[in-house]
Amino acid sequence: MHALLSQDAGDLDAAERHLRAAIVIHRRTGPRRELAQLSLDLADLLTAMRRPDDALTVLADGLAAVDDQAG
């Protein structure tokens, strides 16, 4: 929610911070589906910010975290 508001306001750095914070929380406690969605949202944001390498890292880390929670 905060990330979307920040993004809508044009504050992409704040949106990134909010998404990263949410991912940290969901890695410990959240359902896998939400963790996957947050990782995808952050990757999309980073891509829009012209940071494709960071986006790929977020996707890879997110998939690994989702897989860890499954097993």
Side-chain angles (χ1 to χ4, degrees):
M1 179 74 147
H2 292 288
L4 291 175
L5 293 172
S6 295
Q7 191 171 359
D8 287 347
D11 190 350
L12 301 182
D13 291 330
E16 179 182 355
R17 283 192 307 274
H18 289 299
L19 284 169
R20 287 187 184 277
I23 287 170
V24 168
I25 292 168
H26 275 78
R27 278 184 186 225
R28 289 182 294 203
T29 62
R32 292 183 354 219
R33 182 176 180 177
E34 282 81 3
L35 176 57
Q37 185 61 55
L38 288 167
S39 297
L40 182 58
D41 291 344
L42 179 54
D44 287 344
L45 176 66
L46 292 169
T47 299
M49 295 170 71
R50 300 177 197 260
R51 294 170 49 193
D53 292 339
D54 292 336
L56 287 173
T57 299
V58 165
L59 287 175
D61 291 347
L63 287 173
V66 167
D67 188 46
D68 287 346
Q69 285 184 354

